[in-house]
Amino acid sequence: MTEQSGPKALVDYAVGAERVGFDFEVSSDHYSPWLAAQGHAPYAWTVLGAVAHATERVELMTYVTCPTVRYHPAVVAQKAATLQLLADGRFTLGLGAGENLNEHVVGEGWPPVDQRQDMLVEAIEIIRALHTGELTTYDGEYFRVDSARVWDVPEHPVDLALAVSGEKSVQRFGPLSDHLVAVEPNADLVTAWNATDGAPGIGAGGARAIGQIPISWDPASKDAAVERAHDQFRWFAGGWAVNADLPTTAGFAGATQYVRPEDVAEAMPCGPDLDEIVEKVRPFWEAGFTDVALVQIGDDQQQRFLDEAAGPLLDKMRAAAG
């Protein structure tokens, strides 16, 4: 999570996560942290390039990149192709409609949600076209590409994973993507995806449903874990309709001032109990998700989590998931 650790630490944690047995690693792509207490926001693509070089086996993914305001989609196409080459085919480009927090910084404003989704459709079309390696000109409502070509392209195009939140977004983006991304274990999303014409089937059809859940493991006590989660992750309680539109860390601090520690503890597993974490993750695989990313909250216990808890936790989750 680029919002809670510096770039060198992130690379070290990525290497450690591969060593302990994780199958894949996802990276947020932020210009700002959610809350000032998190304290970091290095450039995700530089970090991912270093991680690609420092690891050998683990899959990599952006979770997720907005290719419409802060980045032009032609630039996203180029850097995704480059990263795929550095990672020897281990990279998936996760895409979404973005958050005001990160996109407003370039001074282009923050469009309403319907327009953001229209822009995302054009961005996907541009990225797909440029990943063919062919000379591309594109004249859309929001983006223009003038005689562009990505010169270094991987042998196989980069898979695209699209963030969806409801049936409308599933129907729109399912046919345009290779995999589903969602942060809630909603079985209706998987069902709707598999029922959408043109969307690759999740599971047997080769598509993946990739979820994410925050956890706050702490070897000492549940109280310490809850305190850290409340300090750094209470923004999560607002829901994505709110999270997408607030522009600053001060806005998130104000919007979450009445979120209590017990509210955070109810929303995510906190403390030393690995079985509790497994039970909180269980709804994802029961909903049909194929992959789940764990976000260990806070930098201060990250290395200890990898050294002491991650291996046993992976064993427990794999056994529980069958």
Side-chain angles (χ1 to χ4, degrees):
M1 189 172 185
T2 60
E3 301 93 291
Q4 64 182 24
S5 300
K8 287 189 175 181
L10 287 168
V11 177
D12 288 342
Y13 298 148
V15 172
E18 180 181 62
R19 184 181 302 118
V20 80
F22 282 94
D23 300 308
F24 79 110
E25 303 177 1
V26 306
S27 170
S28 56
D29 187 353
H30 271 235
Y31 200 88
S32 300
W34 297 101
L35 293 165
Q38 292 177 312
H40 295 278
Y43 185 53
W45 292 86
T46 305
V47 173
L48 281 165
V51 170
H53 185 70
T55 57
E56 298 177 355
R57 172 191 56 81
V58 74
E59 295 181 60
L60 305 175
M61 178 180 174
T62 50
Y63 202 102
V64 293
T65 289
C66 176
T68 59
V69 181
R70 182 169 41 123
Y71 305 137
H72 190 284
V75 176
V76 174
Q78 182 191 34
K79 57 191 179 183
T82 298
L83 187 54
Q84 182 74 307
L85 290 168
L86 289 171
D88 294 321
R90 293 181 283 136
F91 177 63
T92 296
L93 176 59
L95 297 173
E99 301 98 15
N100 195 4
L101 175 70
N102 303 300
E103 307 308 314
H104 81 276
V105 296
V106 294
E108 294 296 323
W110 184 236
V113 62
D114 286 347
Q115 183 178 333
R116 297 201 301 267
Q117 292 189 351
D118 290 342
M119 295 170 73
L120 183 55
V121 169
E122 287 195 9
I124 294 166
E125 293 172 348
I126 291 167
I127 292 167
R128 293 281 198 198
L130 286 167
H131 280 179
T132 66
E134 300 295 326
L135 191 67
T136 298
T137 294
Y138 184 95
D139 193 6
E141 183 176 355
Y142 302 103
F143 299 109
R144 176 165 174 77
V145 177
D146 185 6
S147 301
R149 177 183 173 187
V150 173
W151 288 86
D152 292 281
V153 294
E155 182 178 352
H156 301 290
V158 179
D159 276 6
L160 305 186
L162 269 292
V164 296
S165 57
E167 187 173 354
K168 181 180 177 181
S169 58
V170 166
Q171 291 176 346
R172 187 159 201 195
F173 294 112
L176 302 177
S177 54
D178 301 298
H179 310 290
L180 174 154
V181 169
V183 294
E184 296 179 356
N186 187 344
D188 291 341
L189 292 177
V190 177
T191 300
W193 181 284
N194 283 336
T196 298
D197 288 342
I202 292 169
R208 300 159 74 173
I210 305 164
Q212 185 187 69
I213 182 172
I215 66 173
S216 185
W217 175 83
D218 192 284
S221 71
K222 187 177 183 72
D223 289 344
V226 171
E227 181 181 356
R228 185 172 63 250
H230 181 259
D231 179 52
Q232 296 200 22
F233 230 86
R234 67 185 183 275
W235 60 270
F236 199 80
W240 288 103
V242 173
N243 295 345
D245 285 329
L246 293 176
T248 63
T249 55
F252 277 94
T256 58
Q257 62 182 311
Y258 299 114
V259 176
R260 303 169 302 171
E262 53 263 41
D263 298 326
V264 175
E266 185 176 342
M268 59 196 71
C270 298
D273 189 346
L274 299 184
D275 290 325
E276 180 186 353
I277 297 173
V278 173
E279 290 309 304
K280 286 284 190 178
V281 176
R282 182 184 299 277
F284 279 98
W285 67 69
E286 290 181 342
F289 282 72
T290 60
D291 303 86
V292 184
L294 305 178
V295 179
Q296 164 65 7
I297 297 171
D299 183 78
D300 60 333
Q301 290 293 344
Q302 203 72 221
Q303 189 60 54
R304 194 165 180 184
F305 168 76
L306 290 171
D307 291 341
E308 299 179 17
L313 177 59
L314 283 170
D315 289 342
K316 286 177 176 288
M317 287 199 296
R318 287 171 177 147

